[in-house]
Amino acid sequence: MMLAVTTVTLLLVMAMAMVRGFAGPSIFDRVLAANLFGTKTVLLIAVLGFLFGRPEFLDIALIYALMNFISVIALLRYFEYSQKAEKGSSAND
């Protein structure tokens, strides 16, 4: 029963992160919401693995956590360099 409540709560938090991601207002709010969604997905995979008695789900959760971390770092780097490029091109105009 407690794991079912945990699963429903995680799904609710994931829905709230999606709303925050679509609402914005800045790109960093959206990246933070995507990171939160990914983290809660890792927790959801781990809880479901425990609920169904499948310990191999923890391996999937760890791989997903690494992919989430790398993708958030890549997104932040991309936006950092694109903002520097915008500032550099506007100074030359």
Side-chain angles (χ1 to χ4, degrees), residues 4 6 15 18 20 23-24 26 30 41 43 49 51 56 60 62 70 73 75 86 90:
T6 303
M18 290 291 287
R20 183 63 182 167
S26 73
R30 292 184 171 131
T41 303
L43 288 172
L51 188 63
E56 60 270 9
I60 296 169
L62 285 172
I70 291 170
I73 296 297
L75 272 172
E86 284 179 9
S90 64

Side-chain angles (χ1 to χ4, degrees), residues 21-66:
F22 287 124
S26 73
I27 192 67
F28 297 109
D29 291 327
R30 292 184 171 131
V31 170
L32 184 64
N35 188 21
L36 177 69
F37 185 83
T39 302
K40 298 309 170 199
T41 303
V42 169
L43 288 172
L44 183 66
I45 292 170
V47 167
L48 289 176
F50 185 77
L51 188 63
F52 294 134
R54 305 285 304 261
E56 60 270 9
F57 277 22
L58 290 178
D59 295 335
I60 296 169
L62 285 172
I63 291 170
Y64 191 83
L66 288 172

